[in-house]
Amino acid sequence: MRYFIQFAYNGTHYHGWQIQPNASSVQETLNKALSVLLNSRIILMGAGRTDTGVHAEEMYAHFDYDSDIDSKILVHKLNSYLPKDIAIFNLIKVHDDAHCRFDAIKRTYEYHINTVKNPFLQELSWYFNQKLDVALMNKAAKILLQHTDFQCFSKVHTDVNTFDCTIFEAYWKVENSKLIFTISANRFLRNMVRAIVGTLVNIGLHKITLADLENIIASKNREKAGFSVPAHGLYLTKIYYDYL
């Protein structure tokens, strides 16, 4: 039987989602918790990978188990067992061929910039107090929707078959002293969102123009795009499936 698990985590103290040697990961932490509570070796498949320090407000993973599980009881046990920076929301029995990574039809990320120094947000947003032209950054964000090849924003030497992504929305909004960038797509390349944000910040600083952005995308060259903003401002906020 296959189960989807829906959860969230603060990525500050983890070296990303995926298991790594000699480093703490969210995947390893959840594998151990489920294995102990179900008295069986459980290995989770995640809906995607987040890098060191990146957070997830909604993440999914799946695993197989031979028996029926009382979802409500296991969710309660997991939340009691796990560290305080991981929260379990739901456990959902799905069809045997369901795949949390390949079946996802859309993902949404947010990037949070804090324009006023706040000691309570140091690991939860990027403190950046230079004045940004948000209106121009939103014009630049709309340009992204006109393209599909985003090799220029991908980490180099990434093993993928295609750099094509369909972006459904991309926009900035101001909330008090926070600036939040939201982007949704059918898939994302490694480091893509952080590179996009860095490039749009350069536009907001008037270091590059909208025409430069078009040229950067056409170049397919990561070196021509902007810097990669810090990981701790990035959140995976939503994953969509057509059967959930």
Side-chain angles (χ1 to χ4, degrees), residues 17-87:
W17 158 256
Q18 191 168 12
I19 291 176
Q20 298 180 40
N22 304 314
S24 177
S25 71
V26 179
Q27 184 182 27
E28 180 183 29
T29 303
L30 284 173
N31 282 351
K32 287 180 177 178
L34 282 164
S35 296
V36 168
L37 295 175
L38 293 174
N39 195 28
S40 178
R41 185 168 181 260
I42 302 297
I43 300 176
L44 288 168
M45 166 62 71
R49 295 192 300 183
T50 56
D51 292 334
T52 300
V54 175
H55 316 291
E57 290 184 355
E58 180 181 79
M59 177 66 153
Y60 283 91
H62 75 247
F63 67 94
D64 295 325
Y65 188 66
D66 291 338
S67 305
D68 280 320
I69 297 174
D70 187 317
S71 298
K72 187 175 181 180
I73 291 175
L74 184 59
V75 167
H76 175 73
K77 286 183 176 180
L78 282 167
N79 280 323
S80 299
Y81 186 91
L82 287 164
K84 60 185 178 182
D85 49 12
I86 300 177

Side-chain angles (χ1 to χ4, degrees), residues 2-229:
R2 180 154 292 182
Y3 293 89
F4 272 28
I5 186 167
Q6 180 193 27
F7 56 99
Y9 54 87
N10 179 323
T12 301
H13 300 297
Y14 297 99
H15 289 258
W17 158 256
Q18 191 168 12
I19 291 176
Q20 298 180 40
N22 304 314
S24 177
S25 71
V26 179
Q27 184 182 27
E28 180 183 29
T29 303
L30 284 173
N31 282 351
K32 287 180 177 178
L34 282 164
S35 296
V36 168
L37 295 175
L38 293 174
N39 195 28
S40 178
R41 185 168 181 260
I42 302 297
I43 300 176
L44 288 168
M45 166 62 71
R49 295 192 300 183
T50 56
D51 292 334
T52 300
V54 175
H55 316 291
E57 290 184 355
E58 180 181 79
M59 177 66 153
Y60 283 91
H62 75 247
F63 67 94
D64 295 325
Y65 188 66
D66 291 338
S67 305
D68 280 320
I69 297 174
D70 187 317
S71 298
K72 187 175 181 180
I73 291 175
L74 184 59
V75 167
H76 175 73
K77 286 183 176 180
L78 282 167
N79 280 323
S80 299
Y81 186 91
L82 287 164
K84 60 185 178 182
D85 49 12
I86 300 177
I88 308 301
F89 299 137
N90 202 1
L91 187 73
I92 308 157
K93 188 176 179 181
V94 293
H95 58 277
D96 290 344
D97 294 328
H99 198 290
C100 64
R101 179 183 172 192
F102 298 137
D103 292 353
I105 56 175
K106 185 170 75 168
R107 296 169 170 84
T108 299
Y109 281 88
E110 287 182 1
Y111 194 85
H112 292 212
I113 296 176
N114 200 40
T115 59
V116 175
K117 189 175 182 180
N118 185 331
F120 302 106
L121 296 176
Q122 287 303 302
E123 300 300 331
L124 299 174
S125 66
W126 178 38
Y127 171 52
F128 186 82
N129 65 353
Q130 295 184 51
K131 184 173 177 57
L132 293 169
D133 187 338
V134 179
L136 188 62
M137 291 162 70
N138 266 322
K139 288 181 180 179
K142 288 182 179 179
I143 290 174
L144 298 173
L145 276 63
Q146 302 168 17
H147 297 270
T148 55
D149 188 327
F150 295 104
Q151 185 173 353
C152 67
F153 297 125
S154 174
K155 191 170 185 177
V156 295
H157 308 305
T158 299
D159 184 19
V160 294
N161 294 323
T162 176
F163 294 98
D164 285 354
C165 307
T166 300
I167 296 180
F168 303 112
E169 62 178 353
Y171 61 90
W172 293 87
K173 63 180 178 181
V174 178
E175 291 185 357
N176 300 317
S177 61
K178 258 191 174 183
L179 184 58
I180 300 174
F181 177 64
T182 300
I183 184 168
S184 299
N186 66 328
R187 63 189 291 264
F188 288 91
L189 306 168
R190 288 199 65 189
N191 206 238
M192 177 176 166
V193 179
R194 291 165 62 193
I196 286 175
V197 172
T199 305
L200 298 186
V201 165
N202 280 340
I203 288 174
L205 293 170
H206 296 160
K207 289 185 175 181
I208 60 174
T209 66
L210 299 181
D212 290 331
L213 176 60
E214 293 277 13
N215 292 333
I216 288 168
I217 295 172
S219 76
K220 303 184 181 183
N221 186 342
R222 177 65 186 91
E223 292 182 358
K224 293 186 180 298
F227 63 103
S228 181
V229 291

